[in-house]
Protein backbone atom coordinates (compact mmCIF):
# COMPACT_ATOMS: atom_id res chain seq x y z
CA UNK A 1 0.00 0.00 0.00
CA UNK A 2 1.01 3.65 -0.37
CA UNK A 3 1.95 5.41 2.83
CA UNK A 4 4.03 8.17 4.35
CA UNK A 5 7.27 6.56 5.51
CA UNK A 6 9.82 7.86 8.03
CA UNK A 7 13.06 5.97 7.41
CA UNK A 8 14.93 7.09 10.53
CA UNK A 9 14.58 9.29 13.59
CA UNK A 10 14.44 12.95 12.66
CA UNK A 11 13.76 12.35 8.97
CA UNK A 12 10.81 13.88 7.17
CA UNK A 13 8.32 11.37 5.72
CA UNK A 14 8.20 10.53 2.04
CA UNK A 15 5.45 8.77 0.10
CA UNK A 16 6.30 5.16 -0.71
CA UNK A 17 5.21 1.54 -0.47
CA UNK A 18 4.81 -0.11 2.93
CA UNK A 19 3.53 -3.57 3.96
CA UNK A 20 -0.18 -3.95 4.51
CA UNK A 21 -1.42 -3.85 8.13
CA UNK A 22 -2.76 -7.03 9.67
CA UNK A 23 -6.28 -7.05 11.08
CA UNK A 24 -5.70 -9.20 14.16
CA UNK A 25 -8.17 -9.85 16.96
CA UNK A 26 -10.52 -6.95 17.64
CA UNK A 27 -9.21 -4.94 14.68
CA UNK A 28 -10.61 -4.21 11.26
CA UNK A 29 -8.72 -3.06 8.19
CA UNK A 30 -10.23 0.23 7.03
CA UNK A 31 -9.56 2.56 4.11
CA UNK A 32 -8.12 5.87 5.31
CA UNK A 33 -9.85 9.03 4.10
CA UNK A 34 -7.94 11.67 6.07
CA UNK A 35 -5.28 11.70 8.81
CA UNK A 36 -3.93 14.62 10.84
CA UNK A 37 -0.28 15.66 11.07
CA UNK A 38 -0.29 16.66 14.74
CA UNK A 39 2.71 17.82 16.82
CA UNK A 40 2.39 14.49 18.64
CA UNK A 41 2.79 12.67 15.32
CA UNK A 42 6.02 14.52 14.52
CA UNK A 43 7.38 14.00 18.03
CA UNK A 44 6.65 10.27 18.04
CA UNK A 45 8.19 9.81 14.60
CA UNK A 46 11.28 11.78 15.64
CA UNK A 47 11.91 9.55 18.65
CA UNK A 48 11.79 12.40 21.16
CA UNK A 49 8.41 11.65 22.70
CA UNK A 50 8.07 9.42 25.77
CA UNK A 51 5.69 7.26 23.74
CA UNK A 52 8.06 6.66 20.81
CA UNK A 53 8.50 2.97 20.05
CA UNK A 54 11.98 3.40 18.55
CA UNK A 55 11.44 1.35 15.40
CA UNK A 56 12.16 2.63 11.89
CA UNK A 57 11.15 2.64 9.10
CA UNK A 58 7.65 3.42 10.27
CA UNK A 59 4.41 5.02 9.16
CA UNK A 60 3.58 8.06 11.31
CA UNK A 61 0.11 9.02 12.46
CA UNK A 62 -2.05 8.34 15.50
CA UNK A 63 -5.61 8.90 14.31
CA UNK A 64 -7.70 9.26 11.17
CA UNK A 65 -11.09 9.18 9.55
CA UNK A 66 -11.44 5.88 7.73
CA UNK A 67 -14.10 3.97 5.82
CA UNK A 68 -15.05 0.61 7.31
CA UNK A 69 -16.09 -2.44 5.31
CA UNK A 70 -19.76 -1.44 5.53
CA UNK A 71 -18.99 2.00 4.05
CA UNK A 72 -19.35 3.93 7.32
CA UNK A 73 -16.96 6.81 7.93
CA UNK A 74 -15.40 6.45 11.36
CA UNK A 75 -12.95 8.36 13.50
CA UNK A 76 -10.36 5.73 14.46
CA UNK A 77 -6.96 5.32 16.07
CA UNK A 78 -4.98 3.12 18.45
CA UNK A 79 -2.75 1.74 15.70
CA UNK A 80 0.04 -0.77 16.32
CA UNK A 81 3.58 0.42 15.39
CA UNK A 82 5.31 0.47 13.00
CA UNK A 83 1.99 1.10 11.24
CA UNK A 84 0.45 4.54 11.57
CA UNK A 85 -2.51 6.33 10.08
CA UNK A 86 -0.79 8.23 7.24
CA UNK A 87 -1.41 5.28 4.94
CA UNK A 88 -4.03 3.99 2.56
CA UNK A 89 -5.18 1.39 5.08
CA UNK A 90 -5.07 0.89 8.84
CA UNK A 91 -5.91 -1.95 11.21
CA UNK A 92 -7.87 -0.40 14.07
CA UNK A 93 -10.63 -1.05 16.60
CA UNK A 94 -14.16 -0.11 15.54
CA UNK A 95 -13.91 3.64 15.95
CA UNK A 96 -16.62 6.30 16.26
CA UNK A 97 -19.11 6.75 13.38
CA UNK A 98 -19.21 10.28 11.95
CA UNK A 99 -22.56 12.09 11.86
CA UNK A 100 -24.10 12.55 8.42
CA UNK A 101 -22.55 15.45 6.55
CA UNK A 102 -19.46 15.67 8.76
CA UNK A 103 -16.30 16.96 7.08
CA UNK A 104 -13.74 14.15 7.44
CA UNK A 105 -10.84 16.59 7.10
CA UNK A 106 -12.10 18.75 9.98
CA UNK A 107 -12.68 15.68 12.18
CA UNK A 108 -9.27 14.19 11.35
CA UNK A 109 -7.59 17.49 12.08
CA UNK A 110 -9.62 18.50 15.11
CA UNK A 111 -10.16 15.58 17.46
CA UNK A 112 -6.55 15.25 18.64
CA UNK A 113 -6.01 18.94 19.49
CA UNK A 114 -9.57 19.29 20.76
CA UNK A 115 -9.35 16.35 23.13
CA UNK A 116 -6.30 17.91 24.81
CA UNK A 117 -8.53 20.55 26.39
CA UNK A 118 -11.87 18.74 26.32
CA UNK A 119 -10.70 16.11 28.82
CA UNK A 120 -9.28 18.41 31.52
CA UNK A 121 -12.09 20.96 31.18
CA UNK A 122 -14.93 18.43 31.41
CA UNK A 123 -13.18 16.81 34.39
CA UNK A 124 -12.74 20.19 36.05
CA UNK A 125 -16.33 21.26 35.41
CA UNK A 126 -17.59 18.02 36.94
CA UNK A 127 -15.48 18.71 40.04
CA UNK A 128 -16.27 22.40 40.63
CA UNK A 129 -19.40 23.10 38.58
CA UNK A 130 -18.74 26.61 37.25
CA UNK A 131 -15.50 26.97 35.30
CA UNK A 132 -15.37 30.71 35.90
CA UNK A 133 -12.18 32.00 34.27
CA UNK A 134 -10.03 29.78 32.06
CA UNK A 135 -6.50 30.84 31.08
CA UNK A 136 -5.02 29.33 27.90
CA UNK A 137 -1.25 29.47 27.41
CA UNK A 138 -0.36 28.96 23.75
CA UNK A 139 -3.73 30.17 22.51
CA UNK A 140 -2.60 30.85 18.94
CA UNK A 141 -1.93 27.22 18.01
CA UNK A 142 -4.68 24.93 16.76
CA UNK A 143 -5.03 23.21 20.14
CA UNK A 144 -5.06 26.57 21.92
CA UNK A 145 -7.70 28.03 19.62
CA UNK A 146 -9.86 24.97 20.15
CA UNK A 147 -9.33 25.25 23.91
CA UNK A 148 -10.69 28.81 23.83
CA UNK A 149 -13.78 27.60 21.99
CA UNK A 150 -14.28 24.55 24.20
CA UNK A 151 -14.01 26.61 27.37
CA UNK A 152 -16.78 28.85 26.06
CA UNK A 153 -18.84 25.86 24.95
CA UNK A 154 -18.59 24.39 28.46
CA UNK A 155 -19.76 27.59 30.09
CA UNK A 156 -16.62 29.47 31.14
CA UNK A 157 -17.50 33.08 32.04
CA UNK A 158 -14.14 34.43 30.87
CA UNK A 159 -11.38 33.04 28.69
CA UNK A 160 -7.94 34.65 28.57
CA UNK A 161 -5.58 33.62 25.77
CA UNK A 162 -1.81 34.11 25.89
CA UNK A 163 0.38 33.82 22.80
CA UNK A 164 3.46 35.17 21.05
CA UNK A 165 1.99 36.20 17.71
CA UNK A 166 -0.10 39.38 17.92
CA UNK A 167 -1.69 38.85 14.50
CA UNK A 168 -2.85 35.35 15.35
CA UNK A 169 -4.05 36.58 18.75
CA UNK A 170 -6.51 38.78 16.89
CA UNK A 171 -8.17 35.61 15.56
CA UNK A 172 -8.27 34.26 19.13
CA UNK A 173 -9.93 37.48 20.32
CA UNK A 174 -12.55 37.02 17.61
CA UNK A 175 -13.45 33.73 19.30
CA UNK A 176 -14.39 35.64 22.45
CA UNK A 177 -11.18 35.59 24.46
CA UNK A 178 -9.34 38.42 26.16
CA UNK A 179 -5.84 38.21 24.71
CA UNK A 180 -2.36 39.17 25.84
CA UNK A 181 1.05 38.68 24.24
CA UNK A 182 3.64 36.70 26.16
CA UNK A 183 6.09 39.60 25.76
CA UNK A 184 3.89 41.59 28.17
CA UNK A 185 4.96 39.15 30.88
CA UNK A 186 3.39 38.63 34.28
CA UNK A 187 2.04 42.18 34.41
CA UNK A 188 0.21 41.72 31.12
CA UNK A 189 -1.29 38.39 32.17
CA UNK A 190 -2.44 39.85 35.49
CA UNK A 191 -4.01 42.82 33.69
CA UNK A 192 -5.81 40.52 31.23
CA UNK A 193 -7.21 38.49 34.13
CA UNK A 194 -8.63 41.72 35.52
CA UNK A 195 -8.61 40.59 39.13
CA UNK A 196 -10.19 37.22 38.36
CA UNK A 197 -8.31 34.10 39.44
CA UNK A 198 -8.51 31.28 36.89
CA UNK A 199 -10.06 28.03 37.96
CA UNK A 200 -8.08 26.31 35.22
CA UNK A 201 -4.86 27.05 33.36
CA UNK A 202 -4.50 25.06 30.13
CA UNK A 203 -0.80 25.13 29.33
CA UNK A 204 0.23 24.08 25.82
CA UNK A 205 3.72 25.64 25.96
CA UNK A 206 5.24 25.42 29.48
CA UNK A 207 8.66 27.09 29.99
CA UNK A 208 8.65 30.91 30.29
CA UNK A 209 4.89 31.16 29.75
CA UNK A 210 4.22 29.00 32.80
CA UNK A 211 6.71 31.00 34.86
CA UNK A 212 5.10 34.30 33.83
CA UNK A 213 1.70 32.92 34.80
CA UNK A 214 2.89 31.85 38.22
CA UNK A 215 4.38 35.30 38.76
CA UNK A 216 1.01 36.82 37.80
CA UNK A 217 -0.76 34.58 40.33
CA UNK A 218 1.56 35.44 43.24
CA UNK A 219 -0.11 36.75 46.39
CA UNK A 220 0.98 38.14 49.73
CA UNK A 221 -0.44 37.84 53.23
CA UNK A 222 -1.21 34.97 55.57
CA UNK A 223 -4.98 34.94 55.17
CA UNK A 224 -6.57 31.82 53.70
CA UNK A 225 -6.59 31.66 49.90
CA UNK A 226 -10.11 31.43 48.50
CA UNK A 227 -8.98 30.44 45.01
CA UNK A 228 -8.80 26.90 43.70
CA UNK A 229 -6.46 26.79 40.70
CA UNK A 230 -5.62 23.79 38.55
CA UNK A 231 -2.68 24.25 36.18
CA UNK A 232 -2.83 21.53 33.52
CA UNK A 233 0.42 20.88 31.65
CA UNK A 234 -0.42 19.65 28.13
CA UNK A 235 2.47 20.63 25.85
CA UNK A 236 6.02 21.94 26.10
CA UNK A 237 6.66 23.86 22.90
CA UNK A 238 8.35 26.71 24.79
CA UNK A 239 10.52 24.56 27.03
CA UNK A 240 10.76 21.20 28.76
CA UNK A 241 11.15 22.70 32.23
CA UNK A 242 9.70 25.56 34.26
CA UNK A 243 10.70 26.87 37.69
CA UNK A 244 7.76 26.78 40.08
CA UNK A 245 8.16 29.17 43.04
CA UNK A 246 7.92 27.42 46.40
CA UNK A 247 6.13 30.40 47.96
CA UNK A 248 3.34 30.15 45.37
CA UNK A 249 2.65 26.54 46.33
CA UNK A 250 2.46 27.48 50.00
CA UNK A 251 0.38 30.63 49.58
CA UNK A 252 -2.17 29.49 47.00
CA UNK A 253 -4.49 26.57 46.59
CA UNK A 254 -2.74 25.48 43.41
CA UNK A 255 -2.48 22.06 41.84
CA UNK A 256 -0.16 21.39 38.92
CA UNK A 257 -0.82 18.23 36.94
CA UNK A 258 -0.32 16.83 33.47
CA UNK A 259 -2.79 15.60 30.90
CA UNK A 260 -1.66 13.36 28.09
CA UNK A 261 -1.32 9.83 26.79
CA UNK A 262 -0.57 7.62 29.77
CA UNK A 263 -2.10 9.88 32.43
CA UNK A 264 -5.68 9.68 31.12
CA UNK A 265 -7.49 6.32 31.08
CA UNK A 266 -8.14 5.07 27.55
CA UNK A 267 -11.71 4.25 28.56
CA UNK A 268 -12.30 7.91 29.39
CA UNK A 269 -10.97 9.05 26.02
CA UNK A 270 -13.16 6.56 24.16
CA UNK A 271 -16.20 7.61 26.18
CA UNK A 272 -15.72 11.29 25.31
CA UNK A 273 -14.98 10.83 21.61
CA UNK A 274 -18.56 10.79 20.25
CA UNK A 275 -19.44 14.11 21.92
CA UNK A 276 -16.31 15.87 20.71
CA UNK A 277 -16.72 14.46 17.18
CA UNK A 278 -20.31 15.70 17.13
CA UNK A 279 -19.27 19.25 18.11
CA UNK A 280 -16.67 19.34 15.33
CA UNK A 281 -19.09 17.85 12.81
CA UNK A 282 -21.81 20.39 13.66
CA UNK A 283 -19.44 23.33 13.27
CA UNK A 284 -19.76 24.33 16.93
CA UNK A 285 -15.98 24.01 17.05
CA UNK A 286 -14.08 25.61 14.20
CA UNK A 287 -10.90 23.77 13.21
CA UNK A 288 -8.35 25.56 11.00
CA UNK A 289 -7.22 22.77 8.65
CA UNK A 290 -5.50 22.42 5.29
CA UNK A 291 -5.63 19.24 3.24
CA UNK A 292 -2.65 17.77 1.37
CA UNK A 293 -2.52 14.68 -0.86
CA UNK A 294 -0.18 11.90 0.23
CA UNK A 295 2.41 12.83 -2.39
CA UNK A 296 2.77 16.23 -0.65
CA UNK A 297 3.27 14.78 2.82
CA UNK A 298 6.66 16.51 3.13
CA UNK A 299 4.98 19.89 2.72
CA UNK A 300 2.28 18.92 5.20
CA UNK A 301 4.95 17.82 7.67
CA UNK A 302 6.65 21.24 7.51
CA UNK A 303 3.42 23.27 7.76
CA UNK A 304 3.06 26.03 10.35
CA UNK A 305 1.33 26.07 13.73
CA UNK A 306 -1.62 28.24 12.70
CA UNK A 307 -3.50 25.44 10.99
CA UNK A 308 -3.59 21.67 11.17
CA UNK A 309 -2.25 19.79 8.16
CA UNK A 310 -4.34 16.79 7.13
CA UNK A 311 -3.20 14.18 4.61
CA UNK A 312 -6.00 12.92 2.38
CA UNK A 313 -6.36 9.71 0.39
Amino acid sequence: MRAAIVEQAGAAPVAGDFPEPEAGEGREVMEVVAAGVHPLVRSLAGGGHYGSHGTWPMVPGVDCVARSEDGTLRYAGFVTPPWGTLAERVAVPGGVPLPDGADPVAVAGGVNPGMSSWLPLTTRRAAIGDLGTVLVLGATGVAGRMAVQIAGLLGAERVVGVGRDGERLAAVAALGATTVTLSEGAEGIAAALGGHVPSTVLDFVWGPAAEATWAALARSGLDEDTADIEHVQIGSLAGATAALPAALLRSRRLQVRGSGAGSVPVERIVRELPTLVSHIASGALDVPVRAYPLEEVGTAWASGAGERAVVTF
Side-chain angles (χ1 to χ4, degrees), residues 236-247:
S236 52
L237 294 175
T241 60
L244 177 58

Side-chain angles (χ1 to χ4, degrees), residues 44-188:
L44 287 169
H49 192 274
Y50 62 83
S52 299
H53 56 80
T55 301
W56 292 272
M58 53 92 76
V59 176
V62 296
D63 65 348
C64 65
V65 170
R67 183 172 285 104
S68 61
E69 289 185 358
D70 64 5
T72 303
L73 287 179
R74 297 175 178 271
Y75 172 80
F78 302 104
V79 290
T80 302
W83 288 278
T85 56
L86 298 183
E88 289 182 314
R89 284 172 287 281
V90 288
V92 289
V96 176
L98 267 60
D100 292 341
D103 179 1
V105 173
V107 173
V111 170
N112 175 271
M115 191 62 75
S116 65
S117 57
W118 180 267
L119 289 170
L121 284 178
T122 52
T123 299
R124 187 69 169 146
R125 187 178 68 167
I128 65 174
D130 183 2
L131 287 174
T133 297
V134 174
L135 177 62
V136 180
L137 306 182
T140 56
V142 174
R145 286 183 58 177
M146 293 195 70
V148 167
Q149 297 176 73
I150 288 170
L153 187 67
L154 294 176
E157 297 173 9
R158 290 166 299 277
V159 182
V160 177
V162 182
R164 294 184 183 276
D165 189 315
E167 184 175 338
R168 294 219 303 260
L169 274 174
V172 176
L175 296 172
T178 299
T179 58
V180 56
T181 59
L182 183 56
S183 62
E184 296 177 66
E187 294 80 7

